[in-house]
Amino acid sequence: MTDASWARTYTLTVPTEKAARAVADRLAERGHLLTAVRIVDHFSFEPGNFWYGKPSMRPEFSGWWDVFSVVLDDQVMDDAEKAAVADLARESGGISGGAGSGHRDTVLQIFNRTGLVHELTPSQAARRRPAPMPVAAAGELPPGPPLESRPAPDLRGELIAVTECCAGDGGDGAGTGDLLGDLFNAAMHQGTCYPHTAGMVPVFVELAADDRLGDRYRGWVLMDLFLIASVGRRDLASMADTLRALGKPAVEAPEAVAAREAVTAAVPGLLDRWEEASEHERFLLAALAAACSMPAPDLGTIRDNAVGTTREATIRLIDELAEGTLRADAEQRALGVLMKDLGSELG
């Protein structure tokens, strides 16, 4: 019997009640302690409930069924189980709503048992849990050496450059980082692309080419341009299961296409800085160019320094994106991976 103090919760959405009950059976077979099934928006049909008669929050899933489950485990989150649940959702024509975690007693207390299908004892659940898959030992790769940067210029010069582009006065004691954050939020609030996003690209491009910025803030701006150029394809990757389940085509949103094209048009001008750019700037420029399916002038030095380090895979990914050798779905996922890699380099 497990003595886990933590529990994990999973949610799946599938097309029919029959599929939902079959999924609940499979989850119970995997040792999920509790499983319940309810039609989507169940409580909006229940007189007296707060949600009764209210508009659906998920109208695209009208008539579909949700499956809810709980797993007891010492691990706060288990990637292997998340992947297995997502696979089960796809096999059933549905989607995984993700996973959550919390203290065991709290999760068990608040789990809604309406539509309960299976309730195992902790000992039954523990016996059914799959054994952990052995992981082959792998050699640890050392991190790449720090990317060489130019000394930061005058801090006031950086602040003036950003306030000029933001058409503001830098009041209320806002620093350079705060202003850049506000600028990105105006263009891509919470990472979402809008019809006006493309029109703001020239502001970021002007900043990226401004010699008053040091590598730290220039890196932020180049990362912002990467996010703008790749947002539509990254969204497609995150929505792939939902689009497939709903039978919708995987088409990049028009505003995201416009934003990507605006960045793509500016990349050649930014690459003109290559000879004078530091290694840090070149690394980010190469990633930005790759997001726009353009090769950088020369990655040789960075690539040579990355051999045998954790950065080697990142450089290889930049090359593959720039060369256009990836399938569309692989490219969409790769842009998300590269985004995380760039974030780790920015610190």
Side-chain angles (χ1 to χ4, degrees):
M1 176 176 172
T2 180
D3 60 354
S5 60
W6 286 92
R8 284 171 287 122
T9 59
Y10 293 92
T11 305
L12 304 84
T13 303
V14 295
T16 66
E17 180 181 5
K18 181 179 179 180
R21 291 186 177 278
V23 166
D25 292 344
R26 293 278 296 279
L27 294 175
E29 290 169 5
R30 291 187 62 83
H32 287 223
L33 185 79
L34 298 168
T35 56
V37 303
R38 295 189 289 273
I39 194 168
V40 169
D41 297 322
H42 164 83
F43 295 111
S44 68
F45 306 119
E46 211 174 62
N49 191 282
F50 172 80
W51 293 104
Y52 180 66
K54 288 184 169 58
S56 172
M57 298 293 287
R58 296 184 293 160
E60 69 275 22
F61 289 110
S62 176
W64 287 47
W65 285 70
D66 288 325
V67 183
F68 307 91
S69 70
V70 173
V71 175
L72 302 182
D73 206 312
D74 286 320
Q75 301 299 320
V76 174
M77 199 65 71
D78 182 346
D79 287 338
E81 190 64 20
K82 281 198 294 183
V85 170
D87 286 343
L88 180 55
R90 293 187 195 103
E91 292 171 12
S92 306
I95 64 168
S96 169
S101 65
H103 191 274
R104 167 182 168 157
D105 292 343
T106 302
V107 169
L108 294 180
Q109 180 179 358
I110 66 175
F111 183 81
N112 193 312
R113 284 170 165 75
T114 303
L116 190 69
V117 178
H118 295 285
E119 182 169 9
L120 308 179
T121 65
S123 58
Q124 285 175 324
R127 286 195 299 269
R128 296 184 187 186
R129 293 293 295 129
M133 294 293 291
V135 178
E140 289 285 334
L141 288 174
L147 294 167
E148 181 183 354
S149 297
R150 296 171 304 175
D154 176 66
L155 297 179
R156 177 164 176 76
E158 289 188 306
L159 182 60
I160 292 173
V162 177
T163 48
E164 287 176 353
C165 275
C166 292
D169 58 7
D172 300 324
T176 302
D178 294 326
L179 288 173
L180 286 175
D182 290 342
L183 179 63
F184 182 73
N185 194 49
M188 292 254 295
H189 181 59
Q190 295 185 339
T192 300
C193 192
Y194 295 90
H196 70 264
T197 302
M200 293 189 66
V201 166
V203 179
F204 292 91
V205 174
E206 182 180 347
L207 275 172
D210 195 315
D211 286 329
R212 288 174 293 181
L213 258 64
D215 281 336
R216 178 175 180 238
Y217 289 129
R218 191 186 314 282
W220 283 23
V221 175
L222 291 172
M223 182 65 174
D224 289 344
L225 286 169
F226 176 92
L227 295 174
I228 292 170
S230 62
V231 61
R233 288 164 290 169
R234 289 185 289 106
D235 284 349
L236 286 180
S238 66
M239 291 291 292
D241 282 349
T242 298
L243 293 172
R244 175 200 48 75
L246 295 174
K248 294 183 177 180
V251 179
E252 198 174 353
E255 58 269 26
V257 174
R260 173 164 51 81
E261 290 176 346
V263 177
T264 300
V267 167
L270 291 174
L271 290 176
D272 286 343
R273 299 177 49 85
W274 190 267
E275 291 302 320
E276 64 193 74
S278 67
E279 186 185 24
H280 185 270
E281 183 179 348
R282 289 181 180 184
F283 180 82
L284 291 161
L285 277 173
L288 174 60
C292 298
S293 301
M294 295 182 187
D298 176 32
L299 267 181
T301 302
I302 300 176
R303 184 185 293 107
D304 291 344
N305 290 340
V307 173
T309 73
T310 54
R311 195 178 289 138
E312 185 174 10
T314 304
I315 300 297
R316 188 165 58 248
L317 191 56
I318 288 174
D319 280 338
E320 290 174 344
L321 285 166
E323 292 169 3
T325 56
L326 298 173
R327 298 191 318 273
D329 58 338
E331 177 188 271
Q332 292 161 13
R333 294 192 299 272
L335 286 166
V337 173
L338 184 53
M339 178 184 73
K340 293 179 182 177
D341 290 348
L342 297 181
S344 66
E345 294 291 349
L346 287 175

